[in-house]
Amino acid sequence: MAVDPSVAASRSEEAAEAFFHAAPPLHDRDLVAGSLADFVARHSAGSGGVVCVTSGGTTVPLEQRCVRYIDNFSSGQRGAASTEYFLKAGYAVIFIHRRGSKQPYCRFLPEDSFLDLFELGEDLEIQVPQSHSSVVKAAISNYRKAINEGMLLKLPFTTIFEYLQLLQMVANSMNCLGHRAMFYLAAAVSDFYVPWESMAKHKIESAGGPLNMQLNQVPKMLFILRNIWAPSAFCVSFKLETDPNILLQKAEMALKKYGMNVVVANELANYKDVAVMVTRSGRTTVSRSRKEEDMEEQLTNILMKMHSEHIAQHNL
Amino acid sequence: MAVDPSVAASRSEEAAEAFFHAAPPLHDRDLVAGSLADFVARHSAGSGGVVCVTSGGTTVPLEQRCVRYIDNFSSGQRGAASTEYFLKAGYAVIFIHRRGSKQPYCRFLPEDSFLDLFELGEDLEIQVPQSHSSVVKAAISNYRKAINEGMLLKLPFTTIFEYLQLLQMVANSMNCLGHRAMFYLAAAVSDFYVPWESMAKHKIESAGGPLNMQLNQVPKMLFILRNIWAPSAFCVSFKLETDPNILLQKAEMALKKYGMNVVVANELANYKDVAVMVTRSGRTTVSRSRKEEDMEEQLTNILMKMHSEHIAQHNL
């Protein structure tokens, strides 16, 4: 028997409240709240779009004094690239990102060492090899522009506890923007966690043979975001699966269950090359033809068009 | 009843063999083997010390097509800093490091974005603010020197499977260096893992309620390293605990059980400020008096002195 939607909503709210109640409080909460309030106030005065991009994977600590944790695979490439294209199109961006994940305008960096990019000239001045010079200069210039013009706010997280608290703060704060707000939820969020209170205080001993762990499900915050925190916003979530046979079915389910406007479906094997945008009115496939292209350019352009329609519809 | 040492050795060997047999093969194994053989051959002709520094945390995949994994906390700061001091003292360094962890000469970089360090001048030339100029220039110059003179070989890993295969290859390859070889095992290695064969092929479903996991113990490779792969080398391992009450006792145990020459004992709460070096002949505490200092300078200097004595003793 299907569960009554209002019952589902109140159950989700209870689960979310219990999660937040048990979570360790966010470090620097007041500082974050302040810069967030300033950012939103400045942009609510304008008429442009404001998008919250989430990026990178969340960790689940297994010990309170954390030595070990469960992590979700995500380089943050999609979120960082998309942020660049949103900024280019004039959106203000709140970039909630995993510490150490890919950053906007830094995606081209050598994986291991940024020192590989630089040389010292004869007069000991810092040089970039000719081959990379224009890329590095454009990156510095675009990044400075976004920061100086107040179009980009970067908020870092590591754990699932930090991520969900930040998302709640940002959503509540963006609520005043109504339909002009977009959520682009590209972060890879843990489905399971160990409640803080039941967590081992110290490093788990390795001498006692095999380790058995029980992990609880993280409350479905997409539902809360959509229905309580940001009811007017344009919401885009992502579904990544390794098994192509269940991918679209799971994307359709997320669309309905959480009330997303768009679910972007990806397969792990080719997520950089192709994605299917699932909406209530149908499916759109985007793909790139060359490795040098960013699929995020197409993806964000289509989404911004849909977002414009979403705003227009509600302003009738 | 105590276990006969030869029985313990053969049990450890069996466990190690089973682990390697079941591990996914190392990507680019031949390429790594080639550059490793060149590096060791070049330095075996000389008379200087060669150290293998391991750095950063290993991951334990929970799924074969890996979306989720267990990770060990480690920035790689200790390994990266120590590598700089070993190079400065004339050692050749094989730096086995976690992808994305701190790199030698790059430790000063801003956490989020290297773009924060750079500006464009009036003629669009790349500039570093005066405050950071000398640090950045010294970094570029020292890094280029180490690479150009063939003193630094960097080998990256992500998973526990990659890490242990690399360590085995390096140890076997360094065996010809005899007592001139040092192992400085600063990586945070997982104690538990999921055997590849019993691992979920696809992303673990989140719809089925709480998740129960059983993890196996990783074979104690320190024992194998000391007794089989590198019997003549000078071996330094690290012990990190959150509970100070059991720290030194566990370090003493590791010293005896695995036959290390030195175990460096650290408490998570103050591992950057103080460490206790435990040897068969006693304990030495090293600490830093100012935040600007690297404790690694003292630590590596004492270890290189011990290593010289180790070489001298065996050359009598």
Side-chain angles (χ1 to χ4, degrees):
Chain A
M1 208 181 74
V3 178
D4 181 313
S6 67
V7 174
S10 90
R11 271 192 208 157
S12 296
E13 262 195 278
E14 273 169 35
E17 260 172 43
F19 178 90
F20 283 120
H21 183 75
L26 194 64
H27 192 65
D28 280 339
R29 189 180 182 99
D30 293 344
L31 208 70
V32 171
S35 56
L36 188 55
D38 287 351
F39 190 87
V40 172
R42 202 163 54 241
H43 292 287
S44 75
S47 62
V50 180
V51 60
C52 167
V53 173
T54 72
S55 188
T58 65
T59 70
V60 171
L62 299 178
E63 299 143 330
Q64 282 197 10
R65 302 181 196 181
C66 183
V67 174
R68 299 191 184 93
Y69 53 88
I70 297 183
D71 204 343
N72 267 30
F73 159 79
S74 174
S75 67
Q77 174 75 17
R78 170 138 303 159
S82 303
T83 294
E84 294 176 24
Y85 291 110
F86 281 126
L87 285 168
K88 195 176 168 188
Y91 271 63
V93 183
I94 300 174
F95 182 61
I96 304 186
H97 64 280
R98 167 71 176 274
R99 281 189 186 84
S101 65
K102 292 268 183 200
Q103 297 295 301
Y105 307 117
C106 286
R107 297 178 289 130
F108 60 88
L109 278 185
E111 190 184 344
D112 262 6
S113 171
F114 99 111
L115 291 177
D116 284 327
L117 255 190
F118 296 97
E119 297 165 348
L120 287 186
E122 280 182 12
D123 301 327
L124 296 183
E125 79 283 11
I126 294 168
Q127 293 181 336
V128 175
Q130 196 61 38
S131 56
H132 286 79
S133 173
S134 61
V135 181
V136 173
K137 286 180 179 178
I140 297 175
S141 148
N142 285 327
Y143 176 71
R144 288 274 160 220
K145 186 165 174 283
I147 295 293
N148 294 343
E149 294 179 356
M151 297 302 282
L152 176 61
L153 178 67
K154 304 214 282 184
L155 302 175
F157 67 83
T158 303
T159 68
I160 178 82
F161 302 111
E162 291 169 345
Y163 171 77
L164 287 175
Q165 288 178 77
L166 280 177
L167 184 62
Q168 182 184 33
M169 285 172 78
V170 170
N172 287 338
S173 156
M174 281 173 72
N175 206 10
C176 67
L177 298 166
H179 301 97
R180 281 167 53 206
M182 190 200 297
F183 285 85
Y184 183 88
L185 304 160
V189 184
S190 316
D191 295 312
F192 300 102
Y193 78 113
V194 184
W196 192 252
E197 314 246 301
S198 74
M199 206 178 285
K201 267 231 172 84
H202 286 295
K203 194 175 163 188
I204 297 164
E205 288 285 331
S206 64
L211 175 68
N212 287 294
M213 281 196 304
Q214 192 181 16
L215 301 170
N216 288 8
Q217 274 188 271
V218 172
K220 298 296 181 193
M221 294 291 181
L222 287 186
F223 186 89
I224 310 276
L225 175 78
R226 161 83 297 165
N227 290 283
I228 296 163
W229 299 343
S232 308
F234 185 75
C235 290
V236 183
S237 72
F238 289 75
K239 194 89 205 160
L240 178 75
E241 292 291 337
T242 58
D243 183 354
N245 297 318
I246 59 168
L247 175 62
L248 286 174
Q249 175 196 340
K250 293 199 79 170
E252 293 280 2
M253 215 163 71
L255 189 79
K256 281 184 205 126
K257 197 165 160 191
Y258 308 129
M260 295 289 107
N261 297 86
V262 184
V263 176
V264 182
N266 292 282
E267 216 184 298
L268 185 61
N270 62 11
Y271 72 99
K272 285 185 180 172
D273 301 315
V274 58
V276 181
M277 304 169 70
V278 179
T279 69
R280 260 155 288 181
S281 55
R283 296 173 181 177
T284 312
T285 301
V286 291
S287 62
R288 63 174 184 181
S289 44
R290 297 179 308 127
K291 284 252 173 277
E292 300 73 37
E293 268 173 37
D294 287 327
M295 202 177 58
E296 288 77 10
E297 185 163 14
Q298 267 185 72
L299 199 60
T300 52
N301 280 337
I302 298 176
L303 288 172
M304 288 186 282
K305 204 162 154 269
M306 289 179 177
H307 186 207
S308 297
E309 286 160 14
H310 170 87
I311 296 170
Q313 243 170 38
H314 290 91
N315 285 349
L316 285 181
Chain B
M1 209 179 75
V3 179
D4 182 316
S6 69
V7 174
S10 89
R11 271 193 207 152
S12 295
E13 262 194 278
E14 274 169 36
E17 260 173 43
F19 177 90
F20 283 120
H21 183 74
L26 195 64
H27 192 65
D28 279 340
R29 189 181 181 98
D30 294 344
L31 208 70
V32 171
S35 56
L36 188 55
D38 288 351
F39 190 86
V40 172
R42 203 164 53 242
H43 292 287
S44 75
S47 62
V50 181
V51 60
C52 167
V53 173
T54 72
S55 187
T58 65
T59 68
V60 171
L62 300 178
E63 299 143 331
Q64 283 196 11
R65 301 181 195 181
C66 183
V67 175
R68 300 192 183 94
Y69 53 87
I70 298 184
D71 204 342
N72 267 31
F73 159 80
S74 175
S75 67
Q77 174 74 17
R78 171 139 303 161
S82 303
T83 294
E84 294 176 23
Y85 292 111
F86 281 125
L87 286 168
K88 196 176 167 189
Y91 271 62
V93 183
I94 300 174
F95 182 61
I96 304 186
H97 64 279
R98 166 70 177 275
R99 280 189 187 85
S101 66
K102 292 270 182 198
Q103 296 296 300
Y105 309 116
C106 287
R107 297 178 289 131
F108 60 87
L109 280 184
E111 190 183 348
D112 262 4
S113 171
F114 99 111
L115 291 177
D116 285 327
L117 255 190
F118 297 97
E119 297 165 348
L120 287 186
E122 279 182 12
D123 300 326
L124 294 183
E125 79 283 11
I126 294 169
Q127 293 181 335
V128 176
Q130 196 61 38
S131 56
H132 287 77
S133 174
S134 61
V135 181
V136 173
K137 286 181 179 179
I140 296 175
S141 149
N142 286 326
Y143 176 71
R144 287 276 161 218
K145 186 165 175 283
I147 294 294
N148 293 343
E149 296 179 355
M151 298 301 283
L152 175 62
L153 178 66
K154 303 214 282 183
L155 301 175
F157 66 84
T158 303
T159 68
I160 178 81
F161 303 111
E162 292 168 344
Y163 171 77
L164 286 175
Q165 287 178 80
L166 280 177
L167 185 62
Q168 183 185 32
M169 286 172 77
V170 170
N172 286 337
S173 157
M174 282 173 72
N175 205 11
C176 67
L177 298 167
H179 300 99
R180 280 167 54 207
M182 190 199 297
F183 286 84
Y184 182 89
L185 304 159
V189 184
S190 315
D191 296 310
F192 301 102
Y193 79 113
V194 183
W196 192 252
E197 313 247 300
S198 73
M199 208 178 282
K201 266 228 173 85
H202 286 295
K203 194 176 163 187
I204 298 164
E205 288 286 330
S206 63
L211 175 67
N212 287 294
M213 281 196 302
Q214 192 182 14
L215 301 169
N216 287 10
Q217 274 188 272
V218 172
K220 297 299 179 190
M221 296 290 182
L222 287 186
F223 186 88
I224 310 276
L225 175 77
R226 161 84 297 168
N227 290 283
I228 297 163
W229 298 343
S232 308
F234 185 75
C235 290
V236 183
S237 72
F238 289 76
K239 195 88 205 160
L240 177 75
E241 292 290 338
T242 57
D243 183 353
N245 298 319
I246 58 168
L247 175 61
L248 286 174
Q249 176 195 340
K250 294 199 79 171
E252 294 279 2
M253 217 163 69
L255 189 78
K256 282 184 204 125
K257 198 164 159 192
Y258 307 129
M260 294 289 107
N261 296 87
V262 184
V263 177
V264 182
N266 292 282
E267 216 183 300
L268 184 63
N270 62 10
Y271 71 100
K272 284 186 182 170
D273 301 317
V274 58
V276 181
M277 304 168 71
V278 179
T279 68
R280 261 155 287 178
S281 55
R283 295 175 181 175
T284 312
T285 301
V286 290
S287 62
R288 62 175 185 181
S289 45
R290 296 179 308 128
K291 285 252 174 280
E292 300 73 35
E293 269 172 36
D294 287 328
M295 204 177 55
E296 288 78 11
E297 187 164 12
Q298 267 186 72
L299 199 60
T300 52
N301 281 337
I302 298 175
L303 289 173
M304 287 185 281
K305 204 161 153 268
M306 289 178 178
H307 186 206
S308 298
E309 288 160 13
H310 170 87
I311 296 171
Q313 243 168 38
H314 291 89
N315 285 348
L316 285 183

